[in-house]
Amino acid sequence: SKGGWSSFMAKEIADQPQAVADTLMGRLASDGSVRLSEIDGLTAEDIKNIDRIIMVACGTASYACDVAKYAIEKFARIPVQVELSHEFRYRDPIITANTLIVAVSQSGETMDTLMATRFAKEQGAKVLAICNTQGATLARESDATIYTHAGPEVAVASTKALVAQITAGYLLALFLAAGRNATEQKVLRSLGQELLKMPARVTQVLERLDDVRALGKEMANAKSVLFLGRNVGFPVAMEGALKLKELAYIHAEGFAAGELKHGPIALIEEGQPVIVIVPSPRDSDSLHPKVISNIQEIRARGAKVIAVAEDGDTDVANFAEHVIYVPSCENIFSSILTVIPLQVFALELSSAKGLDVDQPRNLAKSVTVE
Ligand code: F6R
């Protein structure tokens, strides 16, 4: 039941601290070490032999894969390719016995993803599923399954299942990194301990959404909204755009902020709303100043900039019209936090337009046809 919430989606957004905590539970010890007993089927030898990971998924689940790619490559040093299931299946992809397929699906019944994994299995690859539904077809057909424990998701638009998928992706990254000695164990444990703090931070994000709600209502007449991000903020930008399309029927696009000057900046005109996911100023890759310059470039051309930034980032406030602050955390884990205001923004815009947020037009909760 909706338990007093105005929609299932609102309830499921509120369930997110629990979804993250439950997905971590039993897998992350208090010292920060990761144990994934469900993939015990993969021997230490198998893990050492993986020479490539191909992640397959559709829609929102594919953005969880994009986030996982950043974490797996950074910590486990295994090349990761993210593929939309339907595109992957119908070309001639290169799959070997040392390819690990990771299929991500909330329902575990998405036909495109099932077809992609069946095909990969036929080519001799091992398939690991990340799935939210106990006993789903995907889980039954995979060699191993890491269940996300988000609980049943009723609203068509995925919210808590996504943050649980992202959480599982981070766990997988730390697990593979430890198994391959690709990052110092001490560093991995401290990252694990950081991950344990994420549910409380998700709660904090949920406690400060009044501004986002107001913005959503205010912008109900927007004709188009653009989203920009870098690193893990890029898939978050893509997700923000998808949510707005499917829930509020507003044209929206997500871009990697670095692409701006390669084309999309031509879209910027007076009053164009742009939501920018700003990386942490503490990030060692110094992406922060680059994104701040992007904000300056689009502001100079009339964009109305709404930034999602980390607490304490006072710099961004000098350049953006609105700043939505989220608690600070390791930049790589920030996607779990920055995606939430975007979910709420889409929900508010959709409700302000009088639309059914739980059941948007033309969409089904699980797409069981190709
Ligand atoms: C968007 C959304 C869809 C699903 C996609 C995959 O909010 O929910 O894009 O993420 O259809 O569904 P699953 O995860 O069930 O395979």
Side-chain angles (χ1 to χ4, degrees), residues 58-61 104-108 110 113 156-158 165 239 242-243 246 365-367:
C58 301
T60 288
V104 181
S105 173
Q106 187 286 128
S107 61
T110 299
T113 302
V156 164
S158 185
Q165 286 161 350
E239 169 65 1
L242 179 60
K243 282 287 165 290
E246 65 180 334
K365 182 63 185 161
S366 54
V367 185

Side-chain angles (χ1 to χ4, degrees), residues 290-357:
K290 295 189 169 70
V291 172
I292 296 287
S293 341
N294 291 143
I295 293 177
Q296 288 174 286
E297 285 152 15
I298 58 176
R299 265 302 282 272
R301 289 162 178 83
K304 176 186 154 95
V305 176
I306 300 159
V308 179
E310 151 180 306
D311 277 343
D313 185 350
T314 47
D315 209 18
V316 72
N318 298 323
F319 303 106
E321 204 145 318
H322 296 274
V323 187
I324 297 156
Y325 284 106
V326 299
S328 64
C329 69
E330 280 291 328
N331 195 57
I332 192 87
F333 297 146
S334 62
S335 62
I336 292 183
L337 306 181
T338 55
V339 76
I340 297 171
L342 307 193
Q343 299 168 337
V344 173
F345 179 71
L347 179 146
E348 288 300 328
L349 243 148
S350 166
S351 333
K353 291 176 81 169
L355 302 172
D356 182 347
V357 291

